[in-house]
Amino acid sequence: MNALEKALLVKELHHLLNDLEHGSLSFFEIAKSKSRLIEIFRLCDEPIFKKQLLKFKSQTQPEQAATDFANQTLFKLSYRGFFQQDHDLQQALYQNAESGWAILYRPAQGWQMWLIPASNRSALTSVWGSLDDIYRWMLEQQQRYSCLKTDDKLKQKPGMLEQPITLTSAKPETNLSPDTPAIQQQNQVYNSSLLEPKVDIIPASDHVNRIASEVQQTNTQGINELPPISEDNPQAIPAITNQKSISKDFPQTVELASYIAHLQPLHEKIAAEAVYGLEVPSLPEISQYVDLLIHASDLENWQERPIYLAEQIDSQNCFRKYLVLFGVENQIQTVHVMHRFTEPYQHRIAAIKEISWEDLAETFTGFDALFYSYAQKAALIWKNENYLPFIPAQLFQTQKFIQFEESPADFKTPLLLLKERQKIRVIHGQNRLNLSQTESAYPYFLLERHHGVSWQLIQNIIAQLESPIDCYQLYEAIQKHISD
Amino acid sequence: MYELQALIQGKIPPQAINIDRLIVLAEGYPIPNSAEYKLLELAINMVLASYLEKAQKYL
């Protein structure tokens, strides 16, 4: 879908939700609107809406949603399955009493995670919530008790997999007759749910009618909840570790090209997003010009996800550092995480680009090289209003060759630079450079000699302008001359 | 565009965006490689995501 199609969907959703919210629709119209909502969800099948689609699936195809969800975690091999009955879940979970986790689903209550905290212990259970809620809970327990081994660790130590792990589901086998009483009983939850797992193949008209009949029914399903084992029960868990530290069963390091980077906890705002800093002990100098962050949702496969590179500026518009974000899923998450990260420092993001790992791997170890990658190889995602890129101070010669009176500068004023024979020289920027001696990079316009910009041409244009000369005014005059 | 910048910077919520204006902008910037289109698409994705979130309770 292009931007216009999406904007039109926004408008349609706005109307649909408005009508549903005000409750003035007939049962048939409600059903029709809901059916259209489902169609819209299916249209929004881009990765950027993954979070929303998971929630959608969790209502329409809960077992599939649970499986997709489990596949995206670091603990897929310890996952014992999706269940709708407590006893089925317990049977499967305690089949391997060493460790493991499973998901219980009830349409009326949502999702509940069951997690064995330590060998031969009773499972801890989360409160009922969304898949996001229970995963967050699981990560908290993992941070406290290190109860699960990541898939990579399990694969490295085959002995840990000696006991067979059987993925069991409460769903009946398909070759059994649905008329069998036992199967009917097991299917009870499925049949009474609003949207059943086979929603994909239900014709739209059937779907409308089915929802129409369901909105008239009251869900009378009983709740047979087992009392959860309190996670604060001192009998259950002997040791609680510092929550701020990184669990030892999370990868502690990631490989960045030939370097080892250590995960570091960050400030609270960003820690809540499951984002860690990366520190490369063998390259301490890089922290002067770049912050490296990684999202912990899939630490082992971060190279398969997009990588974002941004420029951080302070409240005065001065360049602070680049910011690299690994492991996020999409642009929306990137914008959110980057703003969260910079907030406490009162920094802002000036622009965000996407870059391939191949291009970044070769250049993140040097400020100049990273600048060239950012300028030439990364694709722009977003930029601030009136954005200008920044160039490292060591890349240009500050001596001004043509002397003229410049208008006063502030920190937003760019430099006007000319590139010739591999050298970059200042045309306009004396006042800007005099503002501070400590800036590592400056906003800039770049002219290039091989585009037909000569010193003589610049001098002629300067002679035609009134003093003092403004940087933007000079740049525009030169650009106009070239284009004419 | 100022409104969209404010949205992306988290200064205003997606619900505060004028949808008709969004459509007009999308019609006015149809070239996918332009900076305006990219800004617009990111903002529209954020607004659409928020409406999809809101729609969950009616499924």
Side-chain angles (χ1 to χ4, degrees):
Chain A
M1 273 193 296
N2 62 29
L4 178 58
E5 288 165 335
K6 286 179 186 171
L8 292 169
L9 277 188
V10 168
K11 180 153 186 159
E12 190 181 352
L13 276 172
H14 179 77
H15 287 308
L16 284 169
L17 297 178
N18 204 35
D19 290 344
L20 286 165
E21 213 159 83
H22 291 96
S24 56
L25 301 175
S26 69
F27 285 134
F28 183 76
E29 286 168 329
I30 291 173
K32 204 172 158 189
S33 299
K34 289 186 175 185
S35 180
R36 179 59 186 153
L37 289 183
I38 288 167
E39 282 173 22
I40 291 174
F41 268 96
R42 291 206 184 107
L43 288 171
C44 299
D45 60 352
E46 296 174 27
I48 203 158
F49 303 117
K50 194 172 170 184
K51 187 179 161 197
Q52 289 75 28
L53 287 174
L54 183 66
K55 283 186 182 174
F56 165 65
K57 264 193 187 172
S58 72
Q59 292 190 56
T60 57
Q61 298 168 275
E63 183 162 14
Q64 187 59 49
T67 307
D68 291 352
F69 169 79
N71 286 340
Q72 288 165 25
T73 70
L74 296 170
F75 312 104
K76 191 168 58 179
L77 291 174
S78 321
Y79 176 57
R80 305 288 179 254
F82 163 88
F83 302 89
Q84 299 197 55
Q85 304 293 339
D86 295 357
H87 59 85
D88 293 333
L89 182 148
Q90 291 186 53
Q91 198 179 1
L93 188 61
Y94 295 127
Q95 196 178 338
N96 181 345
E98 283 291 307
S99 69
W101 61 287
I103 292 175
L104 187 64
Y105 174 71
R106 290 190 186 135
Q109 289 163 286
W111 304 83
Q112 187 180 55
M113 178 91 70
W114 291 55
L115 172 67
I116 296 179
S119 182
N120 296 310
R121 294 278 183 173
S122 300
L124 297 175
T125 57
S126 71
V127 294
W128 294 92
S130 66
L131 281 172
D132 268 356
D133 295 336
I134 63 172
Y135 187 54
R136 202 172 297 121
W137 176 86
M138 184 170 102
L139 291 178
E140 282 169 17
Q141 309 317 309
Q142 178 66 6
Q143 280 199 343
R144 285 186 187 181
Y145 312 127
S146 298
C147 31
L148 297 171
K149 303 282 178 213
T150 63
D151 292 349
D152 270 14
K153 277 205 171 176
L154 287 173
K155 284 175 196 164
Q156 281 165 14
K157 296 180 183 173
M160 289 181 172
L161 286 171
E162 274 171 9
Q163 283 184 271
I165 295 169
T166 313
L167 293 184
T168 316
S169 167
K171 200 176 173 183
E173 291 178 24
T174 49
N175 60 349
L176 294 176
S177 162
D179 296 332
T180 309
I183 300 302
Q184 278 178 341
Q185 195 181 353
Q186 273 194 322
N187 264 338
Q188 192 176 357
V189 179
Y190 272 115
N191 293 340
S192 64
S193 68
L194 185 61
L195 298 165
E196 54 191 61
K198 288 176 183 168
V199 69
D200 276 346
I201 54 168
I202 296 172
S205 56
D206 291 359
H207 202 63
V208 170
N209 293 334
R210 186 161 56 78
I211 299 174
S213 67
E214 282 167 346
V215 292
Q216 294 173 73
Q217 293 171 1
T218 308
N219 187 350
T220 55
Q221 192 187 337
I223 299 167
N224 300 309
E225 191 184 346
L226 286 176
I229 298 164
S230 164
E231 62 186 66
D232 297 325
N233 179 357
Q235 296 299 315
I237 301 298
I240 294 177
T241 56
N242 180 2
Q243 285 198 47
K244 284 189 177 174
S245 66
I246 301 166
S247 160
K248 59 178 180 253
D249 276 314
F250 258 67
Q252 306 285 309
T253 60
V254 292
E255 280 181 39
L256 297 180
S258 55
Y259 304 96
I260 300 294
H262 294 256
L263 269 69
Q264 300 290 335
L266 295 166
H267 57 74
E268 274 180 18
K269 279 196 168 182
I270 199 78
E273 306 289 334
V275 171
Y276 294 92
L278 287 175
E279 194 181 283
V280 187
S282 57
L283 296 168
E285 67 279 8
I286 68 169
S287 63
Q288 290 170 26
Y289 61 83
V290 64
D291 287 318
L292 304 174
L293 305 184
I294 190 163
H295 195 278
S297 58
D298 191 4
L299 287 171
E300 278 126 6
N301 299 310
W302 62 266
Q303 287 190 34
E304 290 163 21
R305 297 191 172 203
I307 299 169
Y308 295 96
L309 177 58
E311 289 168 307
Q312 292 180 72
I313 53 175
D314 64 17
S315 53
Q316 286 187 300
N317 206 58
C318 292
F319 180 86
R320 303 308 301 182
K321 288 180 187 183
Y322 285 112
L323 173 61
V324 175
L325 180 56
F326 299 101
V328 282
E329 289 178 351
N330 57 48
Q331 297 170 7
I332 294 179
Q333 193 184 11
T334 300
V335 168
H336 178 73
V337 167
M338 286 187 167
H339 287 313
R340 283 272 169 154
F341 173 72
T342 52
E343 254 176 17
Y345 309 115
Q346 294 183 325
H347 290 173
R348 288 181 296 131
I349 298 296
I352 303 173
K353 292 187 173 185
E354 185 174 344
I355 189 165
S356 70
W357 173 234
E358 289 70 32
D359 288 331
L360 185 64
E362 290 172 1
T363 55
F364 78 97
T365 55
F367 190 14
D368 297 357
L370 186 56
F371 160 76
Y372 282 117
S373 270
Y374 181 86
Q376 296 166 2
K377 296 186 173 169
L380 184 72
I381 299 297
W382 169 79
K383 60 180 182 176
N384 212 336
E385 261 188 323
N386 306 318
Y387 163 78
L388 284 173
F390 291 83
I391 184 169
Q394 62 262 33
L395 280 178
F396 58 87
Q397 299 191 346
T398 55
Q399 188 189 358
K400 197 171 145 181
F401 277 27
I402 306 173
Q403 298 302 322
F404 59 91
E405 191 186 349
E406 295 181 2
S407 55
D410 61 27
F411 285 107
K412 289 183 179 173
T413 307
L415 304 176
L416 180 56
L417 306 170
L418 175 68
K419 184 178 182 186
E420 60 165 1
R421 294 192 202 94
Q422 306 308 315
K423 286 192 176 171
I424 300 174
R425 301 178 197 279
V426 172
I427 304 293
H428 187 298
Q430 202 162 37
N431 289 341
R432 174 65 183 84
L433 289 167
N434 288 341
L435 289 177
S436 162
Q437 304 300 316
T438 59
E439 287 173 87
S440 60
Y442 295 85
Y444 73 101
F445 289 123
L446 185 67
L447 301 166
E448 302 208 29
R449 185 80 170 81
H450 71 266
H451 289 161
V453 183
S454 64
W455 289 104
Q456 187 62 47
L457 171 74
I458 296 169
Q459 198 141 25
N460 290 345
I461 291 171
I462 288 170
Q464 291 165 24
L465 298 173
E466 275 185 37
S467 286
I469 295 174
D470 175 79
C471 180
Y472 291 96
Q473 184 191 12
L474 179 55
Y475 178 68
E476 279 164 21
I478 295 170
Q479 289 289 69
K480 186 172 183 301
H481 188 89
I482 299 168
S483 60
D484 286 348
Chain B
M1 287 293 187
Y2 175 78
E3 203 184 16
L4 303 188
Q5 290 285 7
L7 167 72
I8 292 168
Q9 290 168 35
K11 291 176 185 167
I12 58 169
Q15 293 76 20
I17 297 292
N18 181 321
I19 299 169
D20 290 325
R21 179 87 189 116
L22 211 54
I23 293 169
V24 170
L25 285 170
E27 285 169 341
Y29 297 103
I31 302 163
N33 288 331
S34 68
E36 290 85 359
Y37 182 93
K38 287 178 177 177
L39 166 69
L40 193 57
E41 190 183 34
L42 180 56
I44 289 174
N45 282 338
M46 292 173 82
V47 177
L48 183 50
S50 81
Y51 273 93
L52 291 174
E53 291 276 353
K54 208 174 159 188
Q56 304 283 348
K57 67 174 175 178
Y58 296 106
L59 292 174

